[in-house]
Structures are given as structure tokens and as C-alpha cells.
Amino acid sequence: MNLLSTRPSRARGQGMTEYIIIVALIAIAAIATTTFFGSTVRNQVAGMAAGLAGNQEAAESARKSAKKASTAGAKEADEGRSLNNFSE
């Protein structure tokens, strides 16, 4: 009887562990995405804010910065990564 009463507790713990692992993987993916696209998104938001405020020069500058950051990100994404050149 003692064996049967401990089984649900272990199953509940296993489910919680799986949930924590999934949440951790989602957090890692979110951090990686933000790191990779952070400057592009930041510049786009700055451009929209400046445009809404009526500052056309700042909006155009932020738009150009966003385009430059996205081009650099696309170039980096196209590079083949392996264990030989990962840190480059």
C-alpha cells in the first residue's frame, strides 16, 4: 500500500520538472531572439516614436539604423557556423 501512495507524488513532480524545462527553453529562445534582433527592433521603435512626435529627421535616422542593423543580422545569419568558427 505504501508503494501506491507515493506514485502520484512522483508523477506530479515529474510533470512539474517537464514544465520547468519547457519554460526554460522558451526563455532561452526569447533571450536569443532579443539578442539577435534587439538593435533592429529598438531602432524601428525609435523611428516610429520620432515619426509620431513629428521629428522627421530623427525618424529617418532611426529607420536607416534599423535597416543597417537588419542587413548586418541577415549577413550574420547567412554565415555557416560550426564548431571550428563558432567564436569568430
Side-chain angles (χ1 to χ4, degrees), residues 37-84:
F37 294 112
S39 60
T40 303
V41 173
R42 188 179 325 111
N43 288 325
Q44 287 176 343
V45 171
M48 287 186 288
L52 288 172
N55 190 347
Q56 192 61 31
E57 291 177 15
E60 187 62 27
S61 173
R63 188 190 67 78
K64 287 179 181 177
S65 295
K67 185 169 182 155
K68 182 179 176 183
S70 67
T71 302
K75 182 180 176 185
E76 186 176 335
D78 288 339
E79 292 178 1
R81 295 283 184 195
S82 68
L83 292 178
N84 294 332

Side-chain angles (χ1 to χ4, degrees), residues 2 5-6 10 14 19 21 24 27 37 39 45 52 78 80 82 86:
N2 195 10
S5 65
T6 60
R10 286 185 182 176
Q14 179 183 358
Y19 176 74
I21 290 170
F37 294 112
S39 60
V45 171
L52 288 172
D78 288 339
S82 68
F86 184 74

